[in-house]
Amino acid sequence: SNEVAVQHFEFRMDRGQLMNDSMRVKNRVNWVHQGLAPLPQGYDGTGVVLGFIDSGLDLNHPDFRDENDQSRVYRYWDQVPPPSVASPQPYGYGREWTQAQLNSGGPIPTEPANLYGHGSTVAGTGAGNGLANGRHKGVAPKADMIIVATNFAMPNWTSTVADGVAYIIEQAEALGK
């Protein structure tokens, strides 16, 4: 066949731009927040907990803190550190932080720089509240968050993801959400 595989190619020298706002429009997130018909009310994640299993989270980012500069993260399980007394049970590995510990001013987990903020980007799209710049809110900006920072290099990685899912469900149930 003489058919050309590429039928069209477009190239422009435009500057890049953040597109979280267009994501909200294209997926009607703004309509949901406003409670437009046929919805009976607006929904913004109030009373909901979102769980993220990814590279971690920048806990100091304003979009993951509330108006009183308190963390919106209910629990944070970093699966990377070796077993210790701070490992959540029954899993027995990594380190867990409670919301009180995250707000205490003590040492908190950090998202590894070599993973380029992937976990923060994903969590921001899901639950960022827009306090950083007043514009780029996520889908559920009032939701609580449970973060599981996974160790992508683990030979049994899929089982650690399954542990993360179980952990998120257990913690959400403990919150009644």
Side-chain angles (χ1 to χ4, degrees):
S1 165
N2 291 338
E3 204 169 307
V4 178
V6 176
Q7 295 179 3
H8 176 80
F9 185 85
E10 185 175 328
F11 179 80
R12 298 184 341 205
M13 295 294 288
D14 295 347
R15 297 181 135 229
Q17 61 181 330
L18 298 172
M19 299 185 71
N20 223 18
D21 287 347
S22 64
M23 172 278 301
R24 293 170 49 85
V25 171
K26 291 176 182 176
N27 292 288
R28 298 183 175 94
V29 173
N30 294 335
W31 295 4
V32 173
H33 285 186
Q34 294 169 19
L36 298 179
L39 297 173
Q41 67 181 47
Y43 297 93
D44 60 7
T46 300
V48 173
V49 65
L50 293 181
F52 297 93
I53 303 171
D54 208 311
S55 60
L57 188 74
D58 176 359
L59 288 159
N60 291 317
H61 193 288
D63 283 359
F64 307 127
R65 306 191 70 75
D66 67 16
E67 301 79 16
N68 300 313
D69 198 32
Q70 298 297 295
S71 179
R72 294 177 48 226
V73 176
Y74 175 69
R75 290 286 186 275
Y76 192 114
W77 178 19
D78 185 348
Q79 293 182 330
V80 176
S84 73
V85 295
S87 298
Q89 297 305 321
Y91 309 103
Y93 64 97
R95 163 120 195 240
E96 177 184 48
W97 282 265
T98 65
Q99 192 170 36
Q101 290 169 321
L102 295 172
N103 286 321
S104 72
I108 59 173
T110 58
E111 186 173 12
N114 64 333
L115 297 174
Y116 309 105
H118 189 272
S120 294
T121 301
V122 170
T125 300
N129 61 15
L131 288 182
N133 64 15
R135 293 188 319 268
H136 299 104
K137 288 184 182 179
V139 174
K142 297 284 186 176
D144 292 317
M145 294 180 283
I146 298 172
I147 305 298
V148 176
T150 188
N151 183 350
F152 293 100
M154 291 290 289
N156 61 337
W157 180 72
T158 55
S159 69
T160 68
V161 171
D163 286 348
V165 170
Y167 175 82
I168 290 168
I169 292 169
E170 290 165 5
Q171 296 300 322
E173 286 176 347
L175 270 174
K177 297 183 179 183

